Amino acid sequence: MTEIVSSEVRTRFGDSARVVYLDTTRPEVQAEHGEMIAAIKENGWIYPVTVIDGEPMYEGAVSYPGILRAIQAKLEQAS
């Protein structure tokens, strides 16, 4: 699913947005993103958690259309 979302984000938004998958079980990811991982645990969110621009947006199943709408909204706010 990550590849599909990543490809569609590239097609729709070009270099304005990108998809990054982070495996939170990896030590280097834990070191770099420990604060977000702690927030996910503290709030009892269910993986996968979709984070857009540092803000958790979805938990559990990946919402492909929701991700695209959220990215579009963020880009519109930034312009």
Side-chain angles (χ1 to χ4, degrees), residues 7-34:
S7 175
E8 187 63 25
V9 166
R10 260 192 317 276
T11 299
R12 288 184 184 215
F13 308 113
D15 292 336
S16 298
R18 65 188 173 108
V19 173
V20 177
Y21 170 79
L22 300 173
D23 181 347
T24 59
T25 64
R26 299 182 58 89
E28 64 273 16
V29 173
Q30 293 172 1
E32 187 173 342
H33 301 279

Side-chain angles (χ1 to χ4, degrees), residues 1-2 8 10-11 32 34-35 37-39 46-48 56 63 71:
M1 179 62 102
T2 303
E8 187 63 25
R10 260 192 317 276
T11 299
E32 187 173 342
E35 195 172 303
I37 294 168
I46 299 169
Y47 285 104
S63 173
I71 292 170

Side-chain angles (χ1 to χ4, degrees), residues 20-70:
V20 177
Y21 170 79
L22 300 173
D23 181 347
T24 59
T25 64
R26 299 182 58 89
E28 64 273 16
V29 173
Q30 293 172 1
E32 187 173 342
H33 301 279
E35 195 172 303
M36 180 59 67
I37 294 168
I40 289 168
K41 289 178 182 177
E42 287 170 15
N43 287 293
W45 296 327
I46 299 169
Y47 285 104
V49 175
T50 301
V51 178
I52 298 177
D53 233 9
E55 180 182 346
M57 302 293 286
Y58 304 104
E59 65 173 311
V62 175
S63 173
Y64 169 67
I67 291 170
L68 296 175
R69 284 190 300 269

